[in-house]
Amino acid sequence: KVDDGCRLGLRGAEVVREDEDDAALRKTGFSKDQKPQQPQIVVGLLVTSDGFPLGYGLFKGNTFEGHTMIPVIENFRKEHHVQSCTVVADAGMLSLENIEELRQKKLLYIVGARIANLSPTLQAEMSNALSRREGATVRLPTKHGDLLCSFSQKRFEKDKRDMMKQIARAKKLVTASEPGRRAKFVHTKGVTYVLNEKLIAKTEQLLGIKGYVTNIPREIMDDQEIIAHYRNLWHVEQAF
């Protein structure tokens, strides 16, 4: 517990329906099930770190899931008189707007970070600090809060295998030069396909690194505790 509060995981998901209702919740929207032609209802679910459901919210099917987090949390806090809690959410919930609102409401948070979108300077600083040491962590200040990054050798090996497969596909496309085809590490110069060496170098620099954003001071929760709580998000998927 943090300040006798509760730790919450949140996720938005779609409940597909066959017909759209203009006056109610059934709306067509982004479908994770690849069924954009079918109306749906968006559900926001709150669970404990062990996956026990605590509360939920219903939203129109065309609602962006990142906009479901604050309303569900606020409704739960008011209904159960929760004074403090720590929000744990995946990177899809990370936006400057959401983070600022969490701060204003004096909520603690642990949110997944998209490290590939960080500035080159911050990426280099993070990579140098970790130095590909197993279990190493580093905290860097950002406008979203502390950026906590960790390195795992097991994650490094998986990331590298995936990268090499993508590079192989990219080289094959460059050799074949087939119009209309795309690959991650390929860009075009006119009508010519060229390997994106800059992107390859950037991807290699980030191999094995996972990022999190938090406003929890080290004095309250250390790096390993924060990482462990984020990893508990699989309970949210299981609860759905």
Side-chain angles (χ1 to χ4, degrees):
K1 291 190 287 186
V2 178
D3 296 333
D4 293 324
C6 57
R7 197 165 291 117
L8 307 178
L10 180 124
R11 169 163 164 72
E14 300 85 12
V15 179
V16 177
R17 296 292 300 261
E18 294 181 355
D19 57 327
E20 182 170 312
D21 186 341
D22 290 336
L25 299 173
R26 298 188 297 275
K27 300 288 181 182
T28 55
F30 174 72
S31 171
K32 293 181 179 179
D33 296 325
Q34 306 299 317
K35 298 177 181 178
Q37 75 282 1
Q38 293 184 345
Q40 60 190 15
I41 296 170
V42 175
V43 180
L45 175 69
L46 287 170
V47 301
T48 66
S49 57
D50 294 322
F52 185 84
L54 295 173
Y56 68 93
L58 300 179
F59 302 86
K60 291 183 178 181
N62 56 1
T63 305
F64 169 55
E65 69 174 7
H67 296 161
T68 66
M69 180 170 69
I70 302 297
V72 173
I73 292 169
E74 279 300 282
N75 289 338
F76 180 82
R77 290 182 72 192
K78 290 176 182 177
E79 183 177 355
H80 300 283
H81 309 289
V82 176
Q83 297 301 312
S84 65
C85 66
T86 297
V87 179
V88 185
D90 62 23
M93 298 295 174
L94 179 61
S95 70
L96 189 56
E97 180 184 356
N98 275 346
I99 293 298
E100 285 304 316
E101 195 163 355
L102 288 172
R103 284 175 175 165
Q104 291 172 10
K105 297 181 184 302
K106 302 186 184 305
L107 291 169
L108 299 176
Y109 54 84
I110 302 170
V111 185
R114 294 187 175 96
I115 58 175
N117 295 340
L118 299 174
S119 69
T121 301
L122 200 56
Q123 288 178 353
E125 185 178 354
M126 169 187 64
S127 179
N128 292 336
L130 294 173
S131 298
R132 293 185 176 174
R133 291 175 289 115
E134 174 64 28
T137 62
V138 61
R139 285 203 194 204
L140 302 170
T142 74
K143 62 184 179 182
H144 290 93
D146 283 351
L147 171 66
L148 167 61
C149 295
S150 65
F151 177 83
S152 162
Q153 184 63 36
K154 185 176 180 180
R155 188 186 302 119
F156 172 85
E157 292 169 359
K158 180 184 181 301
D159 290 348
K160 188 171 183 179
R161 285 195 301 270
D162 293 341
M163 184 187 74
M164 296 310 295
K165 289 178 183 177
Q166 291 169 332
I167 291 176
R169 282 197 293 269
K171 288 181 176 178
K172 186 176 180 181
L173 178 56
V174 169
T175 301
S177 193
E178 298 178 21
R181 298 291 296 278
R182 303 181 68 179
K184 179 176 180 179
F185 294 118
V186 173
H187 64 89
T188 57
K189 286 187 176 181
V191 294
T192 306
Y193 287 105
V194 181
L195 273 181
N196 192 334
E197 300 288 356
K198 186 176 180 180
L199 182 57
I200 292 175
K202 173 185 172 181
T203 302
E204 187 173 14
Q205 184 181 50
L206 302 179
L207 293 177
I209 299 176
K210 174 68 178 174
Y212 318 84
V213 176
T214 184
N215 64 341
I216 305 177
R218 271 200 178 98
E219 302 78 53
I220 295 179
M221 191 179 295
D222 65 31
D223 295 351
Q224 296 305 323
E225 285 182 284
I226 288 173
I227 294 170
H229 289 310
Y230 184 84
R231 288 176 177 170
N232 278 335
L233 277 179
W234 70 268
H235 289 296
V236 184
E237 301 290 345
Q238 186 184 55
F240 263 89

